[in-house]
Amino acid sequence: MTSGRIMQGVDSRMLPFRKSLKPMVVYLGCPVRSSLDVLGKKWTMLILYTMGFMNVNRFNQMRTYIPEVTPSVLAKRLKQLERAGYVKRISRNSRRRPIWALTEKGKDTVPIIARLIAHSSKWRADELFEDRVPKEIWQIFPKQTIGGDFEIRVT
Amino acid sequence: MTSGRIMQGVDSRMLPFRKSLKPMVVYLGCPVRSSLDVLGKKWTMLILYTMGFMNVNRFNQMRTYIPEVTPSVLAKRLKQLERAGYVKRISRNSRRRPIWALTEKGKDTVPIIARLIAHSSKWRADELFEDRVPKEIWQIFPKQTIGGDFEIRVT
DNA sequence: CTGCATCCGATCGGATACTG
DNA sequence: CAGTATCCGATCGGATGCAG
């Protein structure tokens, strides 16, 4: 899947930046592709968003936050996310309903999603804010950090 | 599309973080969804990646970087990206081949993609690096900034 | 040779119904 | 509540054609 030969990833020679990053690492495959094969699927980012930002951890709770996703698709996505190591299914005993929790890898998608939110807040303010005024990332995450169980810089 | 009632976006009451961000903005719709309806489509992120990181600006040049995308799909994606304001098609005169360039909005996807790359570099090091050692974002973008035509902080 | 448009089959997502 | 199973429609990829 990751066509290593052609997509050499970020190589300083190929960067469009005048100040290219000299000690830039060399990739065997494409780093964008390798994340996107799982995160790029429909609804996955939204699912991780409900878990990471909205503290949602149960199946039908996710469905109320993302009404358009059908049970079958949600179940499939959660399985894929579990296999890929982003979430884990926790069922204390078979009587209690299972809960879904982010793994460390899953928590590390928060900065990506934060950047997505920042992008929307800047470029789609007319539909997202009542005052229709674009917001910068430091206005959305004022402390430059969002933390709790985990601490992540989002600047 | 943006179900504003249920998906209230980031509201401090609903955040899972102990230190929730007090003056957090209130969203009318879902900020993740609003970006994803265009950026979430297959190949779009890769296309923006080739343009923003690899300095690719012509049609078939993109095809060599993303061999799996067919001409028809690539053309469709570029049109969608153009309509959404991420790229612009520049044809100086009808003799020269047109080039595709990122708009300001398109350049502002670089931090998102940089975060994706950081994520891959941390969690899929075994397939991305010869030494198989996970790398942190400051090792990938050492100067904390990537700039050129545009300057963006990615910490 | 580049930049598409068109058609067609395969895959994936959506709707609905159903079960423990 | 937490999913499965099935069926169907939308989307995507592949092949081909074609104009500048």
Side-chain angles (χ1 to χ4, degrees):
Chain A
M1 306 307 166
T2 59
S3 63
R5 195 176 48 79
I6 297 181
M7 280 295 262
Q8 283 297 337
V10 182
D11 183 315
S12 55
R13 295 188 313 273
M14 314 171 85
L15 280 171
F17 312 117
R18 287 192 296 272
K19 299 183 291 182
S20 59
L21 313 173
K22 299 301 171 47
M24 184 59 80
V25 292
V26 175
Y27 290 93
L28 301 176
C30 175
V32 177
R33 205 177 289 237
S34 66
S35 283
L36 247 48
D37 63 351
V38 46
L39 296 180
K41 289 195 161 298
K42 203 165 183 179
W43 305 122
T44 33
M45 283 291 202
L46 251 340
I47 293 167
L48 293 171
Y49 170 64
T50 64
M51 298 178 72
F53 287 78
M54 317 290 273
N55 215 17
V56 167
N57 57 10
R58 292 220 317 278
F59 189 89
N60 278 356
Q61 203 180 357
M62 294 176 195
R63 293 192 60 203
T64 65
Y65 277 85
I66 317 169
E68 308 96 311
V69 75
T70 56
S72 55
V73 172
L74 179 56
K76 190 185 296 182
R77 287 289 170 276
L78 285 172
K79 281 217 171 90
Q80 292 169 336
L81 284 170
E82 190 180 24
R83 261 185 298 138
Y86 285 92
V87 304
K88 52 178 178 289
R89 181 198 159 109
I90 303 170
S91 56
R92 308 201 173 278
N93 58 61
S94 53
R95 195 120 308 268
R96 278 255 165 279
R97 322 225 166 281
I99 64 169
W100 294 88
L102 292 176
T103 62
E104 285 306 308
K105 186 177 179 180
K107 291 172 185 173
D108 200 42
T109 62
V110 166
I112 302 172
I113 298 171
R115 271 296 177 188
L116 266 172
I117 295 172
H119 184 82
S120 299
S121 304
K122 182 168 186 177
W123 295 99
R124 309 192 58 156
D126 53 332
E127 59 189 69
L128 286 179
F129 302 122
E130 201 157 57
D131 61 10
R132 292 163 171 269
V133 178
K135 316 250 177 292
E136 296 293 329
I137 191 169
W138 59 80
Q139 300 175 280
I140 303 154
F141 305 106
K143 294 179 180 178
Q144 314 272 12
T145 59
I146 51 182
D149 287 346
F150 45 101
E151 190 101 3
I152 295 159
R153 329 206 73 221
V154 292
T155 302
Chain B
M1 316 311 163
T2 59
S3 64
R5 193 175 48 80
I6 297 181
M7 282 294 262
Q8 283 295 338
V10 183
D11 183 316
S12 55
R13 294 188 313 274
M14 316 172 83
L15 279 172
F17 312 117
R18 286 194 296 273
K19 299 183 293 184
S20 61
L21 312 172
K22 298 301 170 46
M24 185 57 84
V25 293
V26 175
Y27 289 93
L28 300 176
C30 174
V32 178
R33 207 176 289 239
S34 66
S35 284
L36 247 48
D37 64 351
V38 47
L39 296 180
K41 287 197 163 298
K42 205 166 183 177
W43 305 121
T44 34
M45 282 293 200
L46 253 339
I47 293 167
L48 293 170
Y49 169 63
T50 64
M51 298 179 73
F53 287 77
M54 317 291 273
N55 216 18
V56 167
N57 58 11
R58 291 219 318 278
F59 190 87
N60 277 354
Q61 203 180 0
M62 295 176 196
R63 292 191 63 203
T64 65
Y65 277 85
I66 318 170
E68 308 95 312
V69 75
T70 55
S72 54
V73 172
L74 179 56
K76 189 186 295 182
R77 287 289 170 277
L78 284 172
K79 281 218 171 88
Q80 292 168 337
L81 284 169
E82 189 179 26
R83 262 185 297 140
Y86 286 92
V87 304
K88 51 178 179 289
R89 181 196 160 110
I90 303 169
S91 56
R92 310 204 172 276
N93 59 62
S94 52
R95 195 121 313 265
R96 277 254 167 277
R97 321 214 171 288
I99 63 170
W100 294 89
L102 292 176
T103 62
E104 285 305 309
K105 186 177 178 180
K107 290 171 185 173
D108 200 42
T109 61
V110 166
I112 303 173
I113 299 171
R115 272 295 176 189
L116 266 173
I117 295 173
H119 184 82
S120 299
S121 304
K122 182 168 186 179
W123 296 98
R124 309 195 53 159
D126 53 332
E127 59 189 70
L128 286 179
F129 302 122
E130 202 157 56
D131 62 9
R132 293 163 172 270
V133 177
K135 316 247 176 295
E136 296 292 328
I137 191 169
W138 60 82
Q139 299 176 279
I140 303 155
F141 306 106
K143 292 179 180 177
Q144 314 273 10
T145 58
I146 51 182
D149 288 346
F150 45 101
E151 190 102 2
I152 295 160
R153 330 205 73 225
V154 290
T155 302

